[in-house]
Amino acid sequence: MKQQIVVSGIGGQGVLFLTRVIAQVAVDQGIPVLTSESHGMAQRGGTVLSTLKIGNFAAPLIRTGQADVALFLWDANLPVHQPLMKEGGALFINSNTEGVGERIDASAIAREMGKAVLSNLVLLGRAVNSNALFCTEGQCLEAIEKLAPPKFVEQNLQAFQAGLRN
């Protein structure tokens, strides 16, 4: 089992939490995982990129044209990070506009739930529902329960499940 995953967004969208959830699923399954983050000077509102390599890999960075799956929380990052995708890779985008990839207005769904920052888990739910990722719904639910702060666990689980249904 090998999978290379890109998570792209801006500061404050939960890119790093989403990355941790996916990585936790791999750890829980005993699958080797490498992660990398690029957010140094990004701060809130700046570009954030995380990469995950699930399986036996020697280095965490993903070369151009090698990512199997990408989760874009901010569609304006497409011109910069889409070249990491391999041809035919699964591309999931939080967007209310038409365009490439599988799109879902995760931000609107999250806002309806009362917290726009939950769009990251809505998008994850959509990707899991499409069987694009190496993990299952149940494995993700367990990882979210482990990683979310106790007072936010239920909201996080609901956001993930909303993505599964949409």
Side-chain angles (χ1 to χ4, degrees), residues 15-164:
V15 170
L16 302 182
F17 182 74
L18 179 54
T19 302
R20 287 181 52 218
V21 168
I22 296 168
Q24 184 67 50
V25 171
V27 168
D28 290 347
Q29 302 307 309
I31 303 170
V33 58
L34 296 171
T35 66
S36 175
E37 303 164 355
S38 172
H39 58 90
M41 297 301 288
Q43 303 175 4
R44 184 168 295 274
T47 297
V48 179
L49 173 68
S50 287
T51 60
L52 298 104
K53 287 187 169 180
I54 311 296
N56 289 319
F57 288 96
L61 299 179
I62 297 175
R63 293 181 184 189
T64 299
Q66 299 298 306
D68 302 292
V69 180
L71 304 172
F72 279 80
L73 293 167
W74 190 252
D75 63 354
N77 286 356
L78 275 168
V80 179
H81 298 143
Q82 188 179 4
L84 294 170
M85 293 294 301
K86 69 165 59 169
E87 191 171 321
L91 181 60
F92 297 90
I93 305 161
N94 172 24
S95 179
N96 62 0
T97 61
E98 298 290 321
V100 299
E102 192 169 326
R103 292 170 177 252
I104 178 173
D105 193 350
S107 293
I109 294 168
R111 279 192 303 273
E112 287 174 15
M113 299 177 69
K115 269 199 142 182
V117 73
L118 296 173
S119 62
N120 59 349
L121 294 173
V122 173
L123 191 63
L124 176 63
R126 179 60 171 260
V128 168
N129 189 44
S130 297
N131 297 314
L133 293 169
F134 69 98
C135 48
T136 66
E137 172 186 347
Q139 293 165 341
C140 289
L141 290 169
E142 286 180 29
I144 293 167
E145 287 178 1
K146 280 183 184 175
L147 297 173
K151 67 181 182 181
F152 299 123
V153 167
E154 194 55 39
Q155 284 181 323
N156 282 257
L157 294 174
Q158 289 173 1
F160 175 70
Q161 291 167 334
L164 290 170

